[in-house]
Amino acid sequence: QVQLVESGGGLVQAGGSLRLSCAASGRTVSMNDMRWSRQPPGKERELVAGIRWIGGTTYYADSVKGRFTISRDNAQNTVYLQMSSLKAEDTDIYYCSVASGTWGQGAQVTVSS
């Protein structure tokens, strides 16, 4: 099975930046896509960004386009989410997942205004 561990969350002022990391271990031979999602309380899960493992095609939610960048390091089995120009509404727990259905424990991102 694939295990996912997020890191890099924290507290940042509005307009600041953070970089989240998601390290995959275990059975990583076929992950296909890796994704970052968030789910505000009482709301449905929102796909923030994703990247195709083969080819590197990326996709973003409209709310983060131009501010967030997803990337991957194949050798390290790691994906990153570089978050810039952060807004208070970006505050959430960010979850890393793969297309097979495995989720990490989440990384808290808190943006103060």
Side-chain angles (χ1 to χ4, degrees):
Q1 302 297 320
V2 176
Q3 293 83 46
L4 303 173
V5 179
E6 299 100 332
S7 61
L11 173 65
V12 65
Q13 290 186 314
S17 300
L18 285 174
R19 189 180 75 159
L20 302 181
S21 299
C22 176
S25 61
R27 294 182 61 188
T28 60
V29 65
S30 182
M31 294 187 290
N32 297 320
D33 283 16
M34 296 189 74
R35 303 164 177 171
W36 289 98
S37 302
R38 62 192 183 188
Q39 186 173 9
K43 305 295 183 181
E44 293 187 355
R45 182 179 61 193
E46 175 189 20
L47 174 63
V48 175
I51 186 167
R52 189 73 178 177
W53 201 250
I54 300 175
T57 302
T58 60
Y59 43 94
Y60 300 91
D62 288 341
S63 59
V64 306
K65 286 181 179 178
R67 300 189 297 119
F68 291 10
T69 302
I70 188 170
S71 61
R72 75 194 195 284
D73 185 333
N74 298 67
Q76 299 295 322
N77 290 318
T78 301
V79 294
Y80 305 94
L81 186 67
Q82 178 66 49
M83 305 182 293
S84 300
S85 301
L86 283 163
K87 305 174 181 179
E89 52 262 42
D90 294 318
T91 295
D92 214 323
I93 301 174
Y94 286 72
Y95 297 91
C96 179
S97 65
V98 297
S100 61
T102 299
W103 294 76
Q105 82 286 349
Q108 175 67 237
V109 173
T110 303
V111 184
S112 62
S113 59

